[in-house]
């Protein structure tokens, strides 16, 4: 699987280089901001049954784009981007068992919060179709993770009532930094977007990416971790078709 991801990364690079060498119809810069989430979890939760919720966090992209026409209203585009994604997951539980061995009652409640941030080098390649000023595009993106970090916060309370009706209560918590996340090098999945041309050079763009790769590298975990990202930004053409023909 890892070799397939490397070959796919190289293939996307070659498509991008070929587009630049032979298509060179428009070249520009782009920057965008938005939200992302990492849904799933990085590790097993050795806690009583509970609920997992994911939260959206700030996200962004910046880099270069280029495209060339393959028909009157069609074009192939490729980009080279710095992409930053963040996300958090909260696992909460409230467990009570009145039939626990050797005690009358056992109750446990607590929460476990994990936050991750990942920086990628991303290579999207896509097909776009233009209606007057509006372009709709769809394609595929592969990304290589070159930096990651995060932190984990957890706390719990356990209440026990023994057979003599004596109550015992204890709790605890932990905060720890995650300097390098246990994630896979590559992420990939489909992406789609819309571009609205304001002037001959300036456009606004909306993009949605849906990662289909489970980036969790913990082999003992049954949890998956996947990425979703939505951004809104601007594109500025440094060269366009009329200038380089």
């Amino acid at each position: 699987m890892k070799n397939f991801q490397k070959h796919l990364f190289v293939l996307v690079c070659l498509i991008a280089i070929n587009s630049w060498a032979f298509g060179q119809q428009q070249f520009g810069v782009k920057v965008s901001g938005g939200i992302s989430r990492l849904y799933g979890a990085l590790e097993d939760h050795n806690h009583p049954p509970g609920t997992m919720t994911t939260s959206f966090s700030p996200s962004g992209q910046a880099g270069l784009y280029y495209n060339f026409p393959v028909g009157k209203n069609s074009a192939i585009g490729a980009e080279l981007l710095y992409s930053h994604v963040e996300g958090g997951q909260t696992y909460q539980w409230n467990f009570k068992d009145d039939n626990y061995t050797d005690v009358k009652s056992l109750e446990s409640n607590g929460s476990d919060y994990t936050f991750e941030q990942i920086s990628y080098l991303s290579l999207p390649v896509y097909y776009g179709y233009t209606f007057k000023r509006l372009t709709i595009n769809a394609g595929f993106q592969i990304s290589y993770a070159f930096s990651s970090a995060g932190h984990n916060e957890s706390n719990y309370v356990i209440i026990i009532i023994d057979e003599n009706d004596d109550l015992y209560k204890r709790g605890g918590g932990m905060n720890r930094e995650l300097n390098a996340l246990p994630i896979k090098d590559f992420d990939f999945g489909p992406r789609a977007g819309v571009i609205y041309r304001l002037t001959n050079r300036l456009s606004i763009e909306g993009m949605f990416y849906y990662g289909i790769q489970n980036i969790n590298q913990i082999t003992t975990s049954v949890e998956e971790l996947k990425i979703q990202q939505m951004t809104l930004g601007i594109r500025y053409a440094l060269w366009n078709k009329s200038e380089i023909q």
Side-chain angles (χ1 to χ4, degrees), residues 11-158:
L11 177 61
V12 174
C13 288
L14 291 175
I15 293 173
I17 293 171
N18 181 72
S19 302
W20 170 250
F22 298 102
Q24 200 170 349
Q25 296 299 302
Q26 189 178 75
F27 171 74
V29 296
K30 60 175 285 184
V31 61
S32 59
I35 56 176
S36 62
R37 72 167 181 162
L38 287 82
Y39 61 100
L42 270 176
E43 56 188 338
D44 289 317
H45 290 279
N46 297 315
H47 308 307
T51 58
M52 173 77 77
T53 57
T54 61
S55 58
F56 285 93
S57 299
S59 174
Q61 294 181 331
L64 308 173
Y65 75 89
Y66 46 88
N67 56 50
F68 63 97
V70 292
K72 184 178 179 180
N73 297 313
S74 301
I76 298 294
E79 300 175 2
L80 177 63
L81 304 174
Y82 164 78
S83 182
H84 184 80
V85 296
E86 299 181 356
Q89 305 90 39
T90 301
Y91 186 82
Q92 294 180 306
W93 70 93
N94 191 336
F95 171 80
K96 186 173 182 180
D97 189 346
D98 293 328
N99 299 305
Y100 203 79
T101 305
D102 298 329
V103 298
K104 283 187 175 180
S105 175
L106 182 147
E107 183 176 354
S108 172
N109 61 77
S111 65
D112 188 300
Y113 173 73
T114 302
F115 174 81
E116 304 98 355
Q117 53 183 351
I118 310 172
S119 295
Y120 283 102
L121 178 66
S122 298
L123 290 168
V125 174
Y126 47 84
Y127 167 81
Y129 190 86
T130 300
F131 307 86
K132 296 183 178 180
R133 290 177 174 266
L134 182 69
T135 300
I136 299 175
N137 60 61
F140 195 80
Q141 175 176 301
I142 184 168
S143 302
Y144 175 77
F146 62 86
S147 176
S148 65
H151 65 266
N152 175 263
E153 304 172 11
S154 62
N155 61 80
Y156 68 92
V157 174
I158 297 176

Side-chain angles (χ1 to χ4, degrees), residues 3-17 123 142 186:
N3 287 334
F4 168 77
Q5 294 166 356
K6 289 181 179 179
H7 293 155
L8 184 60
F9 188 77
V10 171
L11 177 61
V12 174
C13 288
L14 291 175
I15 293 173
I17 293 171
L123 290 168
I142 184 168
F186 290 95

